[in-house]
């Protein structure tokens, strides 16, 4: 996302990078770029709700308009999601609703699918269950390993995520049922 903001592909500012894991690579990259970083270890909180409240407080202090998860491997609870309604987005390495949770690429290979990919979705309190914003398909090759499939999906994520975040920030959209629907410009012919 940092590269996309620098190139102008993502017309937004990264206000703060928060991690529950000290020394996470994203923290190091952000700090080197002069972006504020915060380490908020979840193990220091007795209850999930207490951690979610503390995380929300950090984000509000930095006036964050859209929370973009990247490698944050914790479920956010109902209290956090309610504090940022339709304001949290995540990227997942499968074509949801297929293969939620961890090891999505391994799950895809074990199930023998011919197409996998990446999904950007709004976050709710369920596991990878929020409304889907955008997806990009990635073919599963006969000789794929978890590593080779993961690398191709990651490459897709690196283009899909910033482009989708840009749309969420700058375009008009709404949630209709379980779908995120972007408003078409007036002069678009269908």
């Amino acid at each position: 996302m940092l590269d996309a903001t620098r190139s102008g592909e993502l017309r937004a500012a990264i206000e703060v990078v928060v991690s529950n894991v000290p020394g996470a690579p994203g923290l190091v990259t952000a700090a080197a770029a002069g972006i504020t970083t915060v380490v908020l270890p979840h193990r220091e909180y007795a209850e999930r709700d207490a951690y979610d409240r503390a995380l929300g407080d950090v984000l509000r202090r930095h006036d964050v308009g859209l929370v973009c998860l990247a490698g944050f491997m914790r479920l956010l609870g109902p209290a956090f999601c309610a504090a940022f309604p339709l304001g949290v987005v995540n990227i997942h390495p499968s074509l949801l609703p297929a293969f939620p949770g961890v090891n999505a690429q391994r799950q895809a290979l074990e199930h023998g699918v011919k197409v996998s990919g990446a999904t950007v979705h709004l976050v709710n309190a369920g596991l990878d269950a929020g409304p889907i914003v955008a997806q990009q398909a990635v073919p599963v090759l006969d000789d794929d390993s978890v590593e080779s499939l993961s690398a191709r999906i990651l490459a897709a994520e690196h283009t899909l995520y910033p482009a989708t975040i840009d749309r969420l920030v700058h375009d008009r959209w709404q949630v209709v049922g379980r779908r995120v629907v972007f408003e078409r410009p007036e002069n678009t012919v269908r």
Side-chain angles (χ1 to χ4, degrees):
M1 284 188 276
L2 178 60
D3 290 341
T5 60
R6 288 177 171 163
S7 72
E9 175 189 354
L10 173 52
R11 299 166 292 159
I14 301 172
E15 296 297 327
V16 63
V17 173
V18 182
S19 178
N20 61 324
V21 178
L27 293 170
V28 175
T29 301
I35 298 169
T36 301
T37 62
V38 175
V39 177
L40 194 65
H42 64 276
R43 297 196 195 291
E44 294 180 8
Y45 294 83
E47 297 177 359
R48 178 178 296 275
D49 282 351
Y51 180 81
D52 285 357
R53 283 192 301 278
L55 180 58
D57 290 345
V58 167
L59 297 171
R60 279 190 291 277
R61 274 198 308 273
H62 291 279
D63 197 28
V64 171
L66 181 67
V67 179
C68 304
L69 303 179
F72 192 77
M73 301 302 287
R74 288 186 50 82
L75 277 176
L76 295 168
F80 182 87
C81 294
F84 295 90
L86 304 179
V88 184
V89 66
N90 186 36
I91 187 139
H92 182 76
S94 77
L95 294 176
L96 292 173
F99 315 125
V102 297
N103 301 317
Q105 302 91 331
R106 180 175 307 284
Q107 291 179 62
L109 289 170
E110 288 173 354
H111 278 83
V113 299
K114 299 300 179 187
V115 178
S116 189
T119 301
V120 178
H121 65 95
L122 297 177
V123 173
N124 61 20
L127 176 62
D128 296 323
I132 292 170
V133 182
Q135 293 182 305
Q136 184 172 336
V138 173
V140 178
L141 307 177
D142 290 341
D143 62 348
D144 260 333
S145 63
V146 170
E147 294 77 18
S148 63
L149 179 58
S150 296
R152 285 199 324 286
I153 291 174
L154 184 62
E157 289 178 348
H158 284 177
T159 58
L160 179 66
Y161 205 22
T164 304
I165 293 167
D166 190 77
R167 285 194 77 193
L168 287 169
V169 171
H170 295 286
D171 293 354
R172 293 177 50 98
W173 56 274
Q174 62 181 323
V175 175
V176 178
R178 291 198 29 79
R179 298 174 53 225
V180 173
V181 178
F182 287 90
E183 186 175 290
R184 288 197 328 260
E186 300 292 329
N187 60 354
T188 301
V189 177
R190 189 172 207 200

